[in-house]
Amino acid sequence: MSRISDWFAGRPSPGQRDGAAPTTDADPYAMLSARLGDYPPDQPLHRGDPRSLSAAERAENLAHFRARDAERIATVIGWLAREGLDGTALLSGGDAALAEGARIDAWLARWIPQRPLDLVRGDAAPNPPYARWFASDRAGADLIFSFVSDLARLNAAAITATDPLFAWTVVEDALDAAVTADPAANPHGEPSDRLYHLCLVRDEHDGTPPVVLDLPLALLALVHARMSPLGTPVQTSFPLWLSSIRDGAGA
């Protein structure tokens, strides 16, 4: 029992990392939104689970997202510059992108607070808040979702600099059928968990399975994983998938 007490006594309090001041804020997402200050929100035209939106609404969200891509990438690069980080290096997709991506990842690890620890359940919120993400206006207490989305855009820019065949699209039925068409891997023809999501996709339309990267939700999962109050090691890092794509290994 003493070992358990010692462990709790010695671990950082919720929100405390690398000597940072502790916090009692129960919602680390709201805390991060407050830290973003005057960061401009990026609100989707249509909110809600993509499965509940019409195909036309998903298409309008995609068009809105694409139209603002350059503007939002400039926004996140400008904000990262305040932290002494060079987001423009990601736009090369080369060695400099990986090196600066590692610096951004290390900064994220320091900047992201830990969730409060439940002494009975441990990590009371182990899964990313996907429902909140889809329903959110990405402003106010959810402003962090705009930042995460912009990081995904920057991540995507690094990938497309390496492989220009990648592009943002919505995984509609025909594309999802191409992704899940392997009868050995998917004998029952089940839809993928990316169906109707806005993803970065590489599709040569030659019969080979498309590569579908659910980048926005993957970035949200990375941020959420770094909030773990148990200090669980995070196996992924920013920028997601760039290294394997540069090596020609796909995703």
Side-chain angles (χ1 to χ4, degrees):
M1 185 68 181
S2 60
R3 291 183 180 178
I4 295 176
S5 300
D6 291 344
W7 185 85
F8 280 121
R11 73 175 302 280
S13 60
Q16 184 178 359
R17 289 181 188 251
D18 292 348
T23 176
T24 58
D25 194 321
D27 182 2
Y29 288 95
M31 178 191 300
L32 289 175
S33 295
R35 289 180 183 177
L36 286 168
D38 61 351
Y39 195 85
D42 183 25
Q43 300 171 298
L45 290 178
H46 306 287
R47 287 186 278 165
D49 189 314
R51 295 170 296 181
S52 69
L53 301 178
S54 68
E57 288 172 329
R58 291 192 294 268
E60 289 171 356
N61 275 349
L62 173 62
H64 182 70
F65 186 90
R66 284 177 165 173
R68 303 194 69 192
D69 202 41
E71 172 193 344
R72 297 306 305 186
I73 288 174
T75 294
V76 72
I77 286 175
W79 200 90
L80 289 173
R82 298 183 184 183
E83 300 294 318
L85 299 163
D86 181 15
T88 60
L90 274 291
L91 303 181
S92 72
D95 292 340
L98 289 173
E100 192 61 22
R103 290 188 68 230
I104 294 172
D105 186 72
W107 170 80
L108 282 171
R110 297 189 301 271
W111 186 68
I112 294 171
Q114 289 171 292
R115 292 185 294 277
L117 180 69
D118 188 304
L119 297 183
V120 175
R121 295 179 294 170
D123 187 351
N127 300 316
Y130 295 138
R132 177 176 173 180
W133 167 274
F134 288 130
S136 174
D137 64 357
R138 302 184 186 179
D142 285 350
L143 182 59
I144 182 59
F145 291 154
S146 288
F147 184 68
V148 169
S149 177
D150 290 344
L151 280 179
R153 292 177 188 266
L154 184 58
N155 198 143
I159 290 173
T160 55
T162 297
D163 187 342
L165 291 179
F166 277 98
W168 287 109
T169 191
V170 172
V171 182
E172 295 289 352
D173 299 83
L175 176 57
D176 200 58
V179 173
T180 59
D182 185 347
N186 188 20
H188 302 294
E190 296 291 335
S192 75
D193 58 3
R194 295 155 293 183
L195 180 60
Y196 305 137
H197 290 188
L198 173 67
C199 295
L200 191 69
V201 176
R202 189 185 196 276
D203 187 359
E204 295 192 72
H205 305 283
D206 62 354
T208 57
V211 177
V212 178
L213 308 178
D214 200 342
L215 256 179
L217 289 191
L219 257 296
L220 178 63
L222 173 61
V223 168
H224 192 79
R226 292 198 183 281
M227 292 177 178
S228 172
L230 301 176
T232 305
V234 178
Q235 300 301 318
T236 56
S237 60
F238 182 86
L240 298 173
W241 294 304
L242 177 60
S243 181
S244 61
I245 289 169
R246 287 188 68 222
D247 293 341

